[in-house]
Amino acid sequence: MLIREHVPLAPLTTLGVGGPARYFVEAQSEAEVIDAVAFARSQELPLFVLGGGSNLVVADAGFPGLVLKIGIADVSHFTAQDGSVVFTAGAGLDWDALVARTVEAESAGLECLSGIPGTVGGTPVQNVGAYGQEVSETIRELRALDLRSMESRTLSNADCGFTYRSSIFNTTERNRYIILQVTFSLHEGAKPSIRYPDLQKFFADHAGEPTLAEVRAAVRETRHRKAMLIVPDDDDARSAGSFFKNPVVPQSFFEGLSTRLGSRGLQLPSYPAADGRKLPAAWLVEHAGLAKGYAKGAAGISRKHSLAIVNRGGATAAEIIALKDEIQARVFDEFGIQLAPEPVFVGF
Ligand SMILES: Cc1cc2nc3c(=O)[nH]c(=O)nc-3n(C[C@H](O)[C@H](O)[C@H](O)COP(=O)(O)OP(=O)(O)OC[C@H]3O[C@@H](n4cnc5c(N)ncnc54)[C@H](O)[C@@H]3O)c2cc1C
């Protein structure tokens, strides 16, 4: 196991800001993960587990402890007795490579999650979702190192406590588990999922049922248009994806705000949610007067997506945070809603 020192973290993230890791290890096996944790403990260092760095803002001062990048990237699949196709992938495998493999195997369940950057092990953390699918719908179980007992355990789907952009891994049990491997239950030959309006529009004139491969291509193309697909030379894709979650507000608050905005000729969009109404954060940002392409120093709002904060080139983490604060303040002043950030802040 090679322990490196003062390793720049910005190039290991999609946003590309922040300082170095004091110590850095890439673990290729469960044994190396355990050794790395033992090293951090022996030196009394804080530990940060890094996947693909696509949901992170790293502080300009960097991280004062050990950054442990998970590199376990094996993958296998078999057909279970109940007919489902079971894919098991190492936490460090590139997420989109797994999705491509499931689509090639004609197995439905992950096709709408095509083109999301990051690793397999990053997806359960915030219950990644897009275009009408969430990983929680197909995760059968996962294997994780429990840092309390230093034993590996299998957690069932129910154990993970999945809800919208949330799981035990980013709430109640934050920093307790290192995810080593995730197992998905997919359906061979099943129809692709075309629940999301953007996808329904895409296939409106399509003769017959689109294939899984066609849905994957449509999702990637739609993401590309919104700079939500990482491709070389697209400045607007130098981001951490959507920077804010869609807020859920109580029904009574929604009704009051709707009436107030209605008197100004504005119709507040919303969707039903378990405990109130979910509001599109993108709409709130735009109607707080912050348009796509807005820039503040080297940080800006994507020209193609009003929820993505982008690094326009050479931005510091401080500039990203200043823009985040401005967006939150303007949305709060305008609507009385506090937007919650989606990325994880490292070293702050
Ligand atoms: C252009 C773009 C588009 C995006 N689109 C979407 C989208 O459509 N939907 C969506 O939900 N998200 C989206 N994201 C956010 C991001 O891609 C996902 O959250 C992704 O799953 C993060 O995985 P990662 O491996 O990059 O994790 P990282 O960013 O490296 O880490 C994120 C968090 O997960 C933890 N973590 C990572 N790996 C492990 C592990 N093995 N064990 C324990 N903890 C771990 C980290 O400690 C950290 O807390 C987008 C991001 C970008 C840049």
Side-chain angles (χ1 to χ4, degrees):
M1 189 182 65
L2 176 65
I3 300 171
R4 293 158 62 203
E5 294 188 58
H6 307 294
V7 173
L9 291 173
L12 301 176
T13 69
T14 52
L15 187 58
V17 302
R22 178 66 187 86
Y23 295 96
F24 181 93
V25 166
E26 178 159 354
Q28 306 292 345
S29 65
E30 189 171 328
E32 286 188 358
V33 169
I34 292 170
D35 286 351
V37 174
F39 168 77
R41 289 190 174 170
S42 69
Q43 306 292 309
E44 297 182 8
L45 296 168
L47 177 71
F48 179 76
V49 179
L50 176 68
S54 63
N55 209 24
L56 303 181
V57 183
V58 177
D60 290 319
F63 185 71
L66 175 71
V67 170
L68 168 55
K69 182 164 167 62
I70 306 299
I72 308 167
D74 50 331
V75 58
S76 63
H77 74 278
F78 69 95
T79 303
Q81 274 182 345
D82 63 3
S84 59
V85 187
V86 178
F87 275 82
T88 297
L93 183 71
D94 176 68
W95 170 253
D96 198 47
L98 175 67
V99 177
R101 213 167 145 153
T102 63
V103 167
E104 273 161 31
E106 307 278 351
S107 298
L110 300 179
E111 63 281 0
C112 294
L113 303 174
S114 293
I116 296 178
T119 58
V120 167
T123 60
V125 176
Q126 70 155 0
N127 181 19
V128 155
Y131 298 94
Q133 271 176 352
E134 288 185 335
V135 282
S136 56
E137 294 163 39
T138 41
I139 288 179
R140 186 180 177 116
E141 60 187 31
L142 58 80
R143 190 173 153 76
L145 176 69
D146 183 344
L147 293 172
R148 268 194 212 157
S149 62
M150 282 309 282
E151 279 174 8
S152 294
R153 311 182 27 190
T154 297
L155 280 80
S156 69
N157 180 300
D159 292 336
C160 297
F162 292 121
T163 57
Y164 168 68
R165 291 300 172 275
S166 175
S167 70
I168 59 165
F169 308 110
N170 66 358
T171 56
T172 50
E173 305 294 348
R174 187 193 289 266
N175 297 331
R176 174 168 173 188
Y177 292 105
I178 299 180
I179 298 163
L180 303 166
Q181 192 180 63
V182 187
T183 298
F184 300 86
S185 225
L186 306 180
H187 303 284
E188 194 174 348
K191 287 182 185 172
S193 165
I194 312 179
R195 289 176 236 158
Y196 203 74
D198 276 12
L199 281 185
Q200 288 170 349
K201 223 186 292 165
F202 194 99
F203 289 112
D205 300 323
H206 190 275
E209 193 77 48
T211 63
L212 288 176
E214 284 170 330
V215 172
R216 170 170 165 77
V219 168
R220 286 179 59 92
E221 191 181 319
T222 311
R223 295 185 72 92
H224 186 27
R225 260 190 274 124
K226 297 180 180 176
M228 282 288 158
L229 186 73
I230 298 201
V231 288
D233 303 327
D234 186 350
D235 275 12
D236 285 304
R238 206 183 295 129
S239 76
S242 295
F243 210 94
F244 299 102
K245 297 181 197 177
N246 291 324
V248 175
V249 296
Q251 182 69 25
S252 56
F253 179 93
F254 166 74
E255 283 164 14
L257 183 60
S258 259
T259 309
R260 192 156 60 77
L261 294 176
S263 66
R264 285 167 41 195
L266 285 175
Q267 203 192 338
L268 178 63
S270 74
Y271 310 92
D275 37 1
R277 301 292 294 179
K278 189 187 278 184
L279 308 180
W283 189 96
L284 298 172
V285 171
E286 282 168 25
H287 287 80
L290 292 155
K292 289 177 188 147
Y294 175 81
K296 190 175 168 117
I301 296 178
S302 162
R303 297 179 200 92
K304 298 174 193 143
H305 198 299
S306 40
L307 267 196
I309 293 185
V310 298
N311 172 359
R312 292 243 162 269
T316 60
E319 284 176 299
I320 300 290
I321 300 294
L323 179 55
K324 166 200 100 72
D325 289 346
E326 179 178 348
I327 295 171
Q328 284 177 311
R330 300 234 333 227
V331 167
F332 188 79
D333 287 350
E334 194 63 27
F335 305 109
I337 293 169
Q338 186 67 41
L339 288 182
E342 198 179 287
V344 175
F345 295 85
V346 184
F348 286 89

